Amino acid sequence: MTAASSPTPGLRIRKAAVLGAGVMGAQIAAHLTNAGVETVLFDLPAKEDPKSGIALKAIANLAKLSPAPLADKALAASIIPANYDDDLDHLKDVDLVIEAIAERMDWKLDLYKKIAGHLSKTAIIASNTSGLSINTLADALPEEMRHRFCGVHFFNPPRYMHLVELIPTRLTDKSVLDGLEAFLVTTVGKGVVIAKDTPNFIGNRIGVFSMLSAMYHTDQFKLGFDTVDALTGPALGRPKSATYRTADVVGLDTMAHVIKTMADTLPDDPWHKYFKAPVWLAGLIDKGALGQKTGGGFYKKVGKDIVVLDVAKQDFRPSEQKPSDEVAAILAIKDPAEKFGKLRASSDPQAQFLWASFRDLFHYSAYHLADIADTARDVDFAIRWGYGWKLGPFETWQAAGWQQIAEWINEDIKAGKAMSNAPLPAWVTDGRKGVHGKDGSYSASANADKPRSQHPVYQRQLFPDPILGEKFDTGSTVWENDGVRLWTLGDDGIGIISFKTKMNTVNDHVLDGIQHAIKLAEEKLKAVVIWQTGEPFSAGADLKGALGLLKDGKFDDFEHMVANFQRTSMAIKHALVPVVSAVRGMAFGGGCEFQMHSARTVAALESYIGLVEAGVGLLPAGGGLHELAIRAAKANPADPFEELKKVFETVAMAKVSASAFEAKNLGLLRDGDVVVFNAYELLYVAKQVANALAESGYRPPLPANAIPVAGDVGTATFKASLANLQAGYFASPHDIDIATRIADTLCGGVIERGSTVDEEWLLALERKHFVELAKTEKTQARIAHTMTTGKPLRN
């Protein structure tokens, strides 16, 4: 079941066509297929059979890409390969066409002429161009189609980057735009920003300028590429790929092409002279060193080492990638105003580089705001969602003290230090404290603050991605302790349980809190949703507390904690009101077990779910194995072993799903669980599901008192397969011990095949094996190692 219907009735997309099976086209087709849209992928006819070979090859290649474009590899078979000679008939029944061919205006215009006569009178046509004029492209279409044309610019990789820029032409119908926005937000799961038809739109206009500015100042302050990446990555709340690694990933030829587009299409931009590839970038391209796709660009791998280009030596050296002590200390300062003040005042070239890069980014963003975007919010979201920054440029500036930064920018412009002497727009220094406030975000073109979009699709986002300073209604607290808060939002009678621990881990306060909250819900509410205010859903049990009990030899307390974990799962499963788990991000260990025992799980597509206990030398004991045994018995009462084979490997190898769809394949989500593509709609959908269950007279499952099990024969069969792993040195003796205990629990213990047991029998088996493993030195060493390094230990 997929929550993939658009809330705006004007636009239903059953079938789509993607024109162009290159890197972007194939991945857009993959993500539309993820979203349940039947998709045809077109490319040129191949010179030899099969004629749709180019599209076929692109579809086959999707399985090799990392990160994976398909949420389930089996979906590749649903993409229909096509070519422009034989298959244009496919277009007559498509609702949406997305053109994603190379950035050549003449090629695009020719293709539009070729397809126009084959489209229905209602099909929407969109271009995924990253910067060409949408109005010019529209002119190539017959007049009666132009109102159905716009730009739909996905960011790479399309499955994972939240941003899609929607660019209307002068003639695009509002109903087309609104319908497409609803489809992109809910069905495809994207963050939509409406951009003006200007070169490179918003994301790439500002994002590429930021990279150009960093490259220019790399030269000015004579810094190494690895040093710049150390300064412009996570230290600033940006991705690890920072500046030069990002260029390597994107491809240096692609980077140079985008820069050339800016140079060609923005001749009057006051920063125009900087729109050129630096000498060393051009040099690398000439040598064919285009970045990751050719095995090297600014960086390359030599053996196990990463080396970086040293321009002065014209050779590679080991990458060091760390800021100076002074700058590291400045970047650690929490107060943005103090941090920026120290960066500007420091004589350290790295600090000067950072100040100069920010100054020119702020200057450029403010100067062009009126031309490129409706509001400052659109710019900040475009950069956050399209480039992975924690804060956009205007948010960063405002947080650091708007007027003080503006004053410093003006001083640098006057002193000739800024990249351009273009004046800051008058609105910047009109006494404002920033561009985001209680009345919305500033629109330079309208000279007014504008609130968020009133499009009905956003009513589904009860807690949208907040812009700087935004606060949303956090509801009314029903009850809370140190572990959880039970609260309501509105008067629908649905309670929400949210954890209060770091990484939403599970400790005694959380366990006791969930049980008490469910009792209260049974008295006062109609349903409950377990939902966290941020990712992850839960990183699992609090290992620190567990290890402390083990080290102190408090095994009785430890066993009590495990029993309490199981009581909590049973309270979730047998609650008299439906308990729905709303999962996004990681749901590991106990977090996975809680959602397994819920009446229903509503999972964001990007949910990474796993019973990972084997990785720390344990087995799932919050009811997870007991639940898998019950499900196997229900699915195949005559021979539960057949079903257990599917999940044994999942648990014994501590497999984690790479998507909610994969979690269904692994048996960690049920077929009836709901997948939501936009994580910001998760709470809304979970509440709807909880309400529907409550309204339909929900009753919890009756206790299972006669569960057929696979018994000792099942365990012996699993053990035989494990012997091969041990013989080939793929598993240590401790790994085999853990896996054997998992098998014993799933199969119901030392008992005859086909015997029946009750739930308590299975739970007792879980507890017994869990506590026995926890007492071993090797398991305690694994737990300690994982806690200190974050990585599993093989011992």
Side-chain angles (χ1 to χ4, degrees), residues 586-634:
M586 294 183 294
F588 290 170
C592 175
E593 289 172 300
F594 289 162
Q595 67 80 23
M596 287 174 75
H597 288 85
S598 303
R600 193 81 85 251
T601 295
V602 177
L605 178 71
E606 301 308 332
S607 293
Y608 312 116
I609 302 173
L611 292 168
V612 296
E613 288 84 352
V616 288
L618 293 165
L619 51 69
L625 295 179
H626 129 284
E627 184 64 19
L628 289 173
I630 291 172
R631 289 182 189 180
K634 271 189 187 165

Side-chain angles (χ1 to χ4, degrees), residues 68 221 262 267 277 283 302 322 338-339 379 535 537 554 556 582 607 687 738 744 766 787 790:
F221 295 101
M262 288 178 81
V302 177
K322 63 181 199 322
E338 184 188 347
K339 185 187 296 184
V379 173
E535 290 185 19
F537 177 71
K554 295 180 177 173
D556 287 348
S607 293
K687 288 182 83 180
I738 297 160
D744 186 65
E766 271 189 2
M787 278 172 53

Side-chain angles (χ1 to χ4, degrees), residues 182-424:
F183 168 75
L184 289 165
V185 170
T186 289
T187 307
V188 190
K190 294 301 166 193
V192 170
V193 166
I194 310 285
K196 297 185 181 183
D197 186 17
T198 54
N200 287 7
F201 313 126
I202 303 173
N204 282 339
R205 181 75 177 271
I206 301 298
V208 173
F209 176 82
S210 174
M211 291 180 76
L212 280 172
S213 163
M215 288 177 171
Y216 171 72
H217 291 302
T218 301
D219 262 357
Q220 296 299 104
F221 295 101
K222 302 193 168 27
L223 300 178
F225 301 132
D226 50 344
T227 302
V228 169
D229 279 356
L231 296 170
T232 58
L236 296 184
R238 297 181 191 173
K240 281 194 289 199
S241 55
T243 302
Y244 292 101
R245 276 185 195 278
T246 296
D248 272 355
V249 171
V250 168
L252 304 192
D253 51 343
T254 306
M255 183 82 196
H257 174 77
V258 174
I259 295 167
K260 186 176 184 305
T261 301
M262 288 178 81
D264 292 348
T265 54
L266 296 164
D268 301 325
D269 192 302
W271 283 261
H272 183 266
K273 66 179 178 184
Y274 301 102
F275 299 164
K276 58 175 193 257
V279 175
W280 26 263
L281 177 59
L284 283 167
I285 293 168
D286 289 345
K287 286 180 189 165
L290 306 180
Q292 202 166 275
K293 61 188 171 188
T294 59
F298 293 109
Y299 295 90
K300 67 178 181 182
K301 203 167 183 186
V302 177
K304 288 187 177 175
D305 299 323
I306 302 287
V307 293
V308 63
L309 179 66
D310 187 317
V311 173
K313 294 178 182 168
Q314 287 291 296
D315 201 359
F316 285 84
R317 60 169 172 75
S319 172
E320 288 162 4
Q321 207 164 7
K322 63 181 199 322
S324 68
D325 292 345
E326 181 186 338
V327 170
I330 294 173
L331 290 175
I333 294 168
K334 290 274 186 283
D335 175 27
E338 184 188 347
K339 185 187 296 184
F340 270 86
K342 292 216 160 137
L343 283 176
R344 189 167 189 266
S346 170
S347 56
D348 185 311
Q350 293 183 20
Q352 286 298 297
F353 163 85
L354 282 170
W355 161 250
S357 298
F358 272 115
R359 173 200 64 214
D360 293 318
L361 172 64
F362 296 159
H363 186 188
Y364 191 81
S365 302
Y367 185 88
H368 287 296
L369 175 58
D371 308 329
I372 66 170
D374 188 36
T375 68
R377 179 175 49 245
D378 295 329
V379 173
D380 283 339
F381 278 153
I383 293 298
R384 275 167 45 176
W385 296 342
Y387 279 77
W389 295 14
K390 281 202 176 127
L391 290 179
F394 288 118
E395 290 176 295
T396 307
W397 180 353
Q398 182 167 328
W402 185 271
Q403 287 303 333
Q404 178 62 80
I405 296 283
E407 201 177 296
W408 288 338
I409 295 171
N410 265 330
E411 282 175 23
D412 282 11
I413 292 169
K414 283 175 192 153
K417 291 180 180 176
M419 285 170 76
S420 168
N421 61 4
L424 276 174

